[in-house]
Amino acid sequence: MTAVRLSGVSCVFDAGGKPVRAVDGVDLAIEAGEFFTLLGPSGSGKTTCLRMIGGFQMPSAGAILIDGEDVSRRPPFQRPVNTVFQDYALFPHMTIAENVAYGLMVRGVDKATRTKRAAELLDLVRLPGIGERRPMQLSGGQRQRVALARALINEPKVLLLDEPLGALDLKLREQMQGELKRLQRQLGITFVFVTHDQHEALSMSDRIGVFNLGRLEQVATPAELYSRPRTRFVAEFVGSANVLHGEIARRHGGAAAVMIRPELVRVGGAADARASGTLAEVQYFGAYWRLCVDLAGGERLIADLPVATHAEAPPPGTTLHLHWPDGAVHVIGDGGAA
Ligand code: ADP
Ligand code: MG
């Protein structure tokens, strides 16, 4: 069952007389119950896409269907969706319980029911007993949970989340990633989640759509996206990638470009080495050493060596022989054009 469908959706803005194609011909089907992430760099069209699903922005072309119904011309409040914004947008003058129950109040639900439901939702996001406080009296992480409870109280079929964890520090963000995932599983609601953070996308999503310049470059599961990126852009945006055009690419059926992930490259003996070169730079990342190796053919290859097996890194200038398993080389479909 498809929860959200975008058919040929574009959005063109007029930026001072010059048209900006914020979203450009996007076709996408998000399944019911899926945790779907729109991933891409700043300005790639993620927010515009989400706003069109939510009804805050009209598409210039194309149609948006939710649960099989064309909602393209409907205002936000007539769509079975709700949105969590990055800045939470809580009402400062209302109590937490009133904030959470806001959606019910607008619909004319009686006070007793509102109070009961608000308490249930605060339990759900693990903030029991704070209903009488004001937003000012909460930490950033707590405010984020309140915003989530408020968005969930109307039981939307689809929850839209625009970089909801962007304002939190790393530890809290990782904790909230787990919480969001737990909630999504527990409630079975379709989540459409926007982030520019590839780690967040990989660790949370059932599937990911990668945006570049308003277009969807690839839609795939995290593992597929990481191991078989369709384009150079995806290869380099999702994780670190060696994209090679020279001798190593030619050995793979004369491919124009291939990709090798740095963690699959090993340092070993000269016999059977796939490539050899001079170590140009070494960086320490705690869990691994990043070695930048200048190959004889003029290309540079990055190898990440785990600190668990390599207590020391070789010094720059060392000649290194590089190895990788057969399956490590992935041919890039678009020929790796930058
Ligand atoms: P993202 O969320 O991926 O950072 P956005 O969807 O916010 O990207 O923006 C995509 C592009 O559209 C950017 O070039 C941005 O400057 C432009 N844009 C977004 N909203 C407007 C607007 N209201 N008017 C003009 N240009 C806009
Ligand atoms: Mg955005």
Side-chain angles (χ1 to χ4, degrees):
M1 177 77 194
T2 301
V4 180
R5 183 182 294 280
L6 277 67
S7 296
V9 170
S10 294
C11 183
V12 184
F13 289 113
D14 176 22
K18 199 169 142 269
V20 175
R21 285 205 158 263
V23 173
D24 192 3
V26 166
D27 291 304
L28 175 63
I30 299 171
E31 299 306 315
E34 221 179 355
F35 195 121
F36 193 94
T37 297
L38 308 178
L39 172 69
S42 176
S44 59
K46 309 178 298 291
T47 292
T48 305
C49 198
L50 205 71
R51 285 171 55 81
M52 287 192 287
I53 299 172
F56 301 102
Q57 177 67 50
M58 286 296 138
S60 313
I64 294 168
L65 281 76
I66 298 178
D67 261 357
E69 275 190 69
D70 191 336
V71 298
S72 308
R73 301 285 143 209
R74 279 197 216 158
F77 61 89
Q78 283 176 9
R79 301 184 186 206
V81 305
N82 215 333
T83 307
V84 179
F85 299 98
Q86 176 169 0
D87 62 0
Y88 320 142
L90 298 178
F91 303 114
H93 57 287
M94 290 187 188
T95 66
I96 296 306
E98 285 165 352
N99 264 283
V100 172
Y102 184 75
L104 297 181
M105 193 188 71
V106 171
R107 280 166 40 185
V109 174
D110 68 89
K111 180 112 202 269
T113 310
R114 277 177 0 227
T115 308
K116 182 169 159 287
R117 281 290 290 152
E120 284 169 9
L121 265 296
L122 285 172
D123 278 349
L124 182 72
V125 297
R126 302 194 184 181
L127 286 177
I130 66 149
E132 290 314 307
R133 290 200 221 164
R134 308 264 162 181
M136 247 181 63
Q137 296 168 296
L138 303 186
S139 70
Q142 289 173 323
R143 282 203 281 260
Q144 180 57 66
R145 284 162 200 252
V146 172
L148 201 58
R150 186 180 58 176
L152 288 169
I153 203 159
N154 278 341
E155 301 177 0
K157 288 189 175 145
V158 180
L159 190 66
L160 308 175
L161 305 107
D162 193 358
E163 313 237 10
L165 310 180
L168 307 179
D169 61 59
L170 180 63
K171 259 271 157 310
L172 198 53
R173 202 157 76 218
E174 285 174 350
Q175 189 190 336
M176 279 304 290
Q177 288 170 4
E179 285 282 298
L180 270 181
K181 197 66 203 164
R182 172 186 70 84
L183 270 176
Q184 194 262 342
R185 275 202 212 100
Q186 189 177 338
L187 301 169
I189 294 176
T190 310
F191 273 33
V192 185
F193 184 89
V194 163
T195 184
H196 65 271
D197 180 335
Q198 43 126 345
H199 295 291
E200 201 161 276
L202 288 176
S203 65
M204 298 176 81
S205 319
D206 293 316
R207 282 191 307 151
I208 299 169
V210 182
F211 271 84
N212 181 24
L213 301 171
R215 289 171 186 267
L216 258 186
E217 291 245 340
Q218 188 170 4
V219 177
T221 63
E224 207 177 315
L225 208 60
Y226 190 79
S227 60
R228 291 193 293 282
R230 206 172 55 73
T231 64
R232 177 183 191 140
F233 176 83
V234 174
E236 291 181 335
F237 192 74
V238 182
S240 301
N242 291 297
V243 177
L244 303 167
H245 297 274
E247 165 63 19
I248 295 166
R250 282 194 292 278
R251 269 189 252 147
H252 286 267
V258 295
M259 179 207 68
I260 307 172
R261 293 289 181 196
E263 69 273 19
L264 299 178
V265 180
R266 293 278 167 266
V267 173
D272 298 329
R274 306 262 191 181
S276 300
T278 308
L279 180 57
E281 272 174 46
V282 178
Q283 286 173 288
Y284 178 63
F285 281 92
Y288 58 92
W289 301 99
R290 172 154 291 184
L291 311 184
C292 300
V293 184
D294 287 333
L295 304 181
E299 290 188 292
R300 176 169 277 200
L301 200 131
I302 293 169
D304 288 345
L305 299 190
V307 167
T309 50
H310 296 76
E312 306 269 345
T318 311
T319 297
L320 295 180
H321 304 291
L322 305 172
H323 299 249
W324 52 79
D326 282 335
V329 180
H330 168 73
V331 175
I332 301 243
D334 71 347

